[in-house]
Amino acid sequence: VPAPPLSRTLAGLEGRAIVVTGATSGLGKCIAIQCAKAGARGVLVCGRSAERGMAVVDEIRSLAPGCLCDFSQGDLAEGDAVARATVAKAVALFGTVEGLVNSAAVCFPRGTLADTTPELWDKMMKTNLTAPFLFTKAFTEVMKAARVRGAVVNIGSCAAHGGAPFILAYSCSKGGLAILTKNNAQELRGHGIRVNQVNMGWC
């Protein structure tokens, strides 16, 4: 059977508000734009750089004028306060949300067992594992309270299955994310909230 054309219409997101972390560049930026193009009623772009974030917002507004889009600034490594502030902004903008994409991650600097410092380990875990835990917790509280069906998508890595030695901490963080995803999926399924992970290759 021939593969469908790459220009095929995306699955519709009409009526849904989506929050995308790490959306000021790279994969997260592409995800945010595609959500808007798929008809999302709202997209909240999250990231550290206000300049890059507003550039993404402007691009989305140009490509999808009907999509309510804004930027939320914060460093995910700073913990629960950033997740709660992002939730508050999303609720103020959209009323509620139907989707969360945990795309933000750090993969540099790299390190083996021999040269990974405790500081590097903590940095990887805070951004790549603790932040998705905190964001999923905060956003699904809102989704459950509003009784909306929704989805959480975690952007993982093929390194979750055991990565190259020079990306030890990164691989461990993505392996932990895979377990978090499975546990959250089991817990939230009864609330109509799906939780999945996409394990990317090199990109």
Side-chain angles (χ1 to χ4, degrees), residues 6 8-9 11 41 58 67 79-80 86 98 103 108 125 140 155 162 164 168 180 186 190:
L6 293 177
R8 66 188 184 277
T9 302
R41 66 183 172 94
D58 290 341
C67 178
D80 193 49
T86 308
E98 288 79 22
S103 182
F108 293 99
M125 295 303 159
T140 56
I155 303 301
L168 169 68
L180 177 71
Q186 180 68 18

Side-chain angles (χ1 to χ4, degrees), residues 19-88:
V19 176
V20 185
T21 71
T24 59
S25 64
L27 183 62
K29 173 183 175 180
C30 293
I31 291 170
I33 291 172
Q34 292 301 322
C35 285
K37 290 173 69 175
R41 66 183 172 94
V43 173
L44 184 60
V45 172
C46 304
R48 290 177 294 182
S49 169
E51 181 179 358
R52 290 191 302 175
M54 288 311 302
V56 176
V57 169
D58 290 341
E59 185 172 352
I60 289 175
R61 288 172 177 170
S62 174
L63 292 169
C67 178
L68 176 59
C69 184
D70 207 343
F71 172 67
S72 181
Q73 187 175 20
D75 184 344
L76 273 64
E78 294 179 359
D80 193 49
V82 176
R84 296 292 170 182
T86 308
V87 167

Side-chain angles (χ1 to χ4, degrees), residues 1-183:
V1 177
L6 293 177
S7 60
R8 66 188 184 277
T9 302
L10 294 168
L13 291 177
E14 290 82 3
R16 296 178 174 89
I18 313 294
V19 176
V20 185
T21 71
T24 59
S25 64
L27 183 62
K29 173 183 175 180
C30 293
I31 291 170
I33 291 172
Q34 292 301 322
C35 285
K37 290 173 69 175
R41 66 183 172 94
V43 173
L44 184 60
V45 172
C46 304
R48 290 177 294 182
S49 169
E51 181 179 358
R52 290 191 302 175
M54 288 311 302
V56 176
V57 169
D58 290 341
E59 185 172 352
I60 289 175
R61 288 172 177 170
S62 174
L63 292 169
C67 178
L68 176 59
C69 184
D70 207 343
F71 172 67
S72 181
Q73 187 175 20
D75 184 344
L76 273 64
E78 294 179 359
D80 193 49
V82 176
R84 296 292 170 182
T86 308
V87 167
K89 184 155 191 175
V91 170
L93 283 169
F94 311 130
T96 188
V97 294
E98 288 79 22
L100 168 66
V101 181
N102 286 307
S103 182
V106 291
C107 57
F108 293 99
R110 294 170 172 174
T112 64
L113 175 63
D115 56 25
T116 294
T117 64
E119 292 76 20
L120 172 57
W121 179 274
D122 288 343
K123 177 183 177 181
M124 292 286 177
M125 295 303 159
K126 285 179 180 178
T127 303
N128 299 354
L129 181 56
T130 303
F133 155 66
L134 294 172
F135 268 71
T136 301
K137 180 180 178 67
F139 274 92
T140 56
E141 285 174 1
V142 171
M143 295 161 75
K144 289 187 291 185
R147 296 182 177 273
V148 298
R149 299 179 67 86
V152 176
V153 177
N154 294 323
I155 303 301
S157 168
C158 59
H161 302 293
F166 59 86
I167 51 172
L168 169 68
Y170 176 80
S171 300
C172 291
S173 70
K174 292 300 184 179
L177 184 63
I179 299 302
L180 177 71
T181 300
K182 292 176 181 180
N183 275 265

